[in-house]
Amino acid sequence: MSFYIYNTLTRSKDELVTIKKDKVGMYTCGPTVYNYAHIGNLRTYIFEDALKKSLEYVGYKVKHVMNVTDVGHLQSDGDEGEDKMALGASREHKTVWEIAKFYEDAFFEDCKKLNVKRPNVVCRATDHINEMIKFIQKLEEKGYTYESNGNVYFEIDKFPGYTKLANLSIDELEAGSRIEIDPNKKNPLDFVLWFTNSKFANQIMQWDSPWGRGFPGWHLECSAMSMKYLGEKIDIHCGGIDHIPVHHTNEIAQSECALGHKWVNYWVHGEFLVLDGGKMSKSSGDFLTVSRLEEEGFNPLDYRYFCLQSKYRKQLVFSFESLKDAQNGYRALKKKIGAIISNIEDGLTINKELIEAYQEKFKAQISDDLNLANAFTVLNEVIKDSALNNKEKAFLIEDFDKVFSLDLMTIEREAIEVDEELVNRLIAERNEARANKNYGRSDEIRAELLAMNIEVLDSKEGTTWRVK
Ligand code: AMP
Ligand code: ZN
């Protein structure tokens, strides 16, 4: 079965044809570790995680590489504004290194709570300064750079394909990025590859380079590190849509000029999560984190469920009311599944054909540009299908959860509503049956209770019960 994915480069749903058979090289732009990730950022990581798991589900072996930005990212995504890491350090009276370590750990803690799997390779920018310097040297040798007032710039006019990803004219790109006039630049869209002391002279993160002591521009790390870990051609490169006009456009320019050939085959972008009242922004300081959702009584997986219900290419509006709806939906789903998995009678077998038919149906949906909403419909069909026994249902639910990663096979105690009156009545009836030596009836009641996920415990002190 072919896998189709929307490619920003072609602006169409394209069939995935990988460079190496049955393998996918996937690069996703990672966090800038100067603050907690907000739930908008995390929507993007959840989508990327689901994409990777869908590719694995249909049979690809995926090598997933993600960077951690701990140097060079300025507030504007371009060359304007303050250094984000330095901002974090001064906000918290810590060193940039402490900030980077703290927020990197916090990011992966959040990912763990959201069942976002750690990429195969996680690479920090500050661990790859040599690779970045060599990359600039390559561009320099090929004539794509110039030095001005101490900084090394990439000259975008030397790359004819500069506008292809954003599909905008140079004027439109300029208007969109609202860049300050920088007299050092030949073209306002030129971007810095290496900053020297001329910018943020008191920046602690500095390294020697052929152009002077300084630090790399932000865009460079993704090109240099992805090439190190994935080679000169990449199947899929992901990120949020905000990266299209600046970061990814610049990544393409420097990479294709250094390599002399096409670099990434499929550019896949996730749409934004927005708040009821507009954009979520870290700089305003008022943004929602996973911990905040937990404080409000949500399980992080309620949020994962919320995100997976909507198409990754559509903007998603967040409100606590809609998250509450998702929480109810998720709980109801788990309750139905709980009733299935706690009620698998002994001796049931699995009909391979029935299973495979459903797996194909599921694959068809995830392969259709990650149509997870329809994949949930397939899951619900499985739950309702009277032609499937509970063992088969449980098998398929566990199988689909390789993509959803919603812990569907874990029974939540609170998700099971216990009708205590009924349980106590049955226990009393069973006690009476036992007193009358009617062991057949007593066993029947035990089985009945077990089907309700209630375990009966007999002891000298009497009979008690608990939720299994
Ligand atoms: P950053 O840490 O700012 O570099 O962003 C990390 C990732 O989150 C990037 O892929 C961004 O494109 C993405 N992103 C930023 N804001 C949002 C948002 N509101 N909704 C979805 N993704 C976002
Ligand atoms: Zn990047």
Side-chain angles (χ1 to χ4, degrees), residues 192-294:
V192 175
L193 296 166
W194 190 264
F195 289 104
T196 67
N197 291 333
S198 65
K199 189 136 189 170
F200 313 126
N202 53 0
Q203 149 86 281
I204 315 170
M205 287 176 162
Q206 290 200 17
W207 295 264
D208 287 328
S209 86
W211 313 280
R213 205 166 159 73
F215 59 98
W218 173 47
H219 314 296
L220 191 58
E221 65 184 79
C222 291
S223 295
M225 297 196 283
S226 68
M227 276 177 214
K228 173 165 178 177
Y229 297 106
L230 289 168
E232 292 192 353
K233 285 185 181 167
I234 299 176
D235 293 301
I236 298 178
H237 192 314
C238 300
I241 42 146
D242 56 324
H243 284 345
I244 299 171
V246 184
H247 183 50
H248 289 167
T249 286
N250 290 346
E251 279 187 34
I252 293 178
Q254 66 201 5
S255 300
E256 299 199 350
C257 289
L259 294 166
H261 59 70
K262 187 175 174 186
W263 175 46
V264 171
N265 287 335
Y266 301 86
W267 284 92
V268 184
H269 292 100
E271 247 292 358
F272 260 36
L273 179 90
V274 293
L275 295 181
D276 248 351
K279 230 185 119 182
M280 184 154 20
S281 124
K282 267 190 218 175
S283 51
S284 71
D286 180 26
F287 59 88
L288 294 171
T289 58
V290 168
S291 315
R292 175 75 200 286
L293 299 187
E294 288 177 308

Side-chain angles (χ1 to χ4, degrees), residues 29-32 38 40-41 43-45 48 73 84 218 239-243 271-273 280 282:
C29 290
T32 304
H38 62 53
N41 301 133
R43 180 192 185 197
T44 294
Y45 297 110
E48 292 162 346
H73 195 172
K84 287 187 173 184
W218 173 47
I241 42 146
D242 56 324
H243 284 345
E271 247 292 358
F272 260 36
L273 179 90
M280 184 154 20
K282 267 190 218 175

